[in-house]
């Protein structure tokens, strides 16, 4: 009764999903649990205590590989973007196993394989994003594939988590005022964006705080601009090659 969610994205075949979740003050999970799927979260506000992992506040982020046992509770309430990878990215289907309350911080699926249980991105219990350095777009682009058409001079990036083998990653993009892609084009992989602050202009449409976009791989889209600047939470499903139309 204290859990609210809006589904932003759902792939029914893989069970991969992204939700906007609000936990009301005093919310507590009924049991400790773990999942077959990777679970990922970025706090938009409030505070949540994750047993076995730590206390997270606004702008904190976590990436939890499958099997890690946890429990969530919040006294003041919390709002966050909560994602499950489903059958993708070293992850299984979205599921839930009830676990003993004294097992928080252990891995239920691979108890004797510590290194394997971390996956390729590792077990990211807490990243305080304000403590990360903003990488200039020109520096970020050198390791991310072709970003032809991106306005890297007006782009800064904070990498929250990343798979160095596949290029899959979750990042914060900061677009400086005057950001302007040079041409319409397409990504080689799908890209998801949630506007945290400011606004972007895309194909004649203004998209401000709280707008979510799923951009399918290979789909030609209009050039993106930001007159006032923007902060974007982005998920990218592989090497971020961008080819102008």
């Amino acid at each position: 009764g204290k859990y609210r969610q809006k589904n932003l994205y759902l792939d029914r075949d893989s069970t991969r999903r992204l939700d906007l979740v609000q936990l009301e003050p005093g919310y507590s999970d009924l049991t400790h649990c773990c999942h077959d799927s990777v679970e990922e979260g970025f706090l938009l506000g409030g505070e949540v205590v994750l047993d076995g992992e730590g206390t997270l506040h606004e702008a904190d982020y976590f990436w939890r590989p499958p099997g890690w046992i946890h429990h969530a509770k919040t006294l003041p309430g919390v709002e966050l973007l909560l994602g499950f990878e489903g059958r993708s990215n070293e992850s299984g289907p979205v599921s839930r196993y009830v676990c003993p309350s004294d097992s928080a911080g252990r891995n239920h699926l691979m108890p004797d394989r510590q290194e394997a249980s971390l996956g390729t991105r590792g077990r990211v219990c807490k990243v305080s994003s304000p403590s990360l350095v903003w990488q200039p777009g020109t520096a970020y682009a050198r390791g991310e594939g072709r970003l032809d058409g991106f306005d890297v001079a007006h782009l800064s990036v904070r990498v929250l988590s990343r798979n160095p083998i596949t290029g899959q990653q979750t990042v914060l993009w900061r677009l400086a005022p005057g950001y302007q892609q040079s041409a319409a084009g397409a990504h080689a992989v799908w890209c998801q964006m949630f506007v945290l602050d400011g606004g972007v202009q895309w194909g004649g449409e203004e998209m401000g705080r709280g707008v979510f976009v799923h951009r399918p791989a290979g789909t030609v889209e209009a050039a993106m601009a930001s007159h006032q600047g923007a902060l974007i939470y982005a998920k990218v499903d592989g090497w971020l090659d961008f080819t102008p139309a």
Side-chain angles (χ1 to χ4, degrees):
K2 294 185 176 182
Y3 187 107
R4 304 177 183 176
Q5 75 175 40
K6 293 181 179 180
N7 180 240
L8 303 178
Y9 172 79
L10 174 62
D11 182 330
R12 297 188 184 278
D13 292 333
S14 68
T15 68
R16 201 174 198 174
R17 63 186 299 139
L18 180 65
D19 298 318
L20 178 62
V21 172
Q22 290 180 340
L23 307 181
E24 295 183 3
Y27 171 90
S28 179
D29 284 343
L30 297 179
T31 66
H32 284 64
C33 69
C34 72
H35 314 291
D36 285 307
S37 172
V38 167
E39 187 175 16
E40 174 185 38
F42 182 82
L43 270 66
L44 303 177
E47 173 187 293
V48 64
V49 178
L50 299 177
D51 190 17
E53 297 178 353
T55 301
L56 280 70
H57 302 89
E58 182 176 353
D60 286 348
Y61 167 85
F62 71 86
W63 171 277
R64 183 186 303 119
W68 289 97
I69 300 169
H70 58 283
H71 174 278
K73 66 179 179 180
T74 174
L75 292 177
V78 67
E79 183 177 34
L80 71 158
L81 292 167
L82 186 65
F84 291 89
E85 291 297 285
R87 295 183 182 89
S88 64
N89 205 11
E90 302 177 320
S91 178
V94 176
S95 62
R96 189 178 191 276
Y97 300 106
V98 174
C99 300
S101 59
D102 61 355
S103 58
R106 302 176 189 172
N107 193 286
H108 171 71
L109 300 178
M110 292 183 280
D112 301 320
R113 300 173 60 200
Q114 174 71 18
E115 186 171 346
S117 67
L118 298 178
T120 305
R121 293 202 202 189
R123 181 183 175 213
V124 184
C125 294
K126 175 180 177 177
V127 169
S128 178
S129 65
S131 68
L132 298 177
V133 173
W134 284 108
Q135 299 180 35
T138 50
Y140 173 77
R142 285 198 291 267
E144 297 304 324
R146 300 189 315 275
L147 297 184
D148 301 337
F150 267 56
D151 185 0
V152 293
H154 288 82
L155 173 68
S156 301
V157 182
R158 281 174 169 164
V159 178
L160 300 175
S161 70
R162 183 174 181 270
N163 185 324
I165 298 174
T166 65
Q168 293 166 315
Q169 59 188 291
T170 305
V171 298
L172 295 177
W173 286 337
R174 184 174 66 183
L175 310 184
Y179 179 94
Q180 177 65 64
Q181 289 185 351
S182 62
H187 290 293
V189 296
W190 66 246
C191 175
Q192 296 178 342
M193 295 176 281
F194 185 90
V195 182
L196 299 172
D197 198 14
V200 297
Q201 296 76 45
W202 204 357
E205 184 175 358
E206 180 76 27
M207 296 181 290
R209 181 187 176 106
V211 170
F212 170 76
V213 174
H214 175 83
R215 184 173 184 168
T219 302
V220 175
E221 302 282 359
M224 187 171 69
S226 180
H227 305 319
Q228 69 273 52
L231 179 63
I232 296 171
Y233 175 87
K235 286 176 60 63
V236 182
D237 201 40
W239 300 111
L240 190 59
D241 292 342
F242 178 84
T243 303

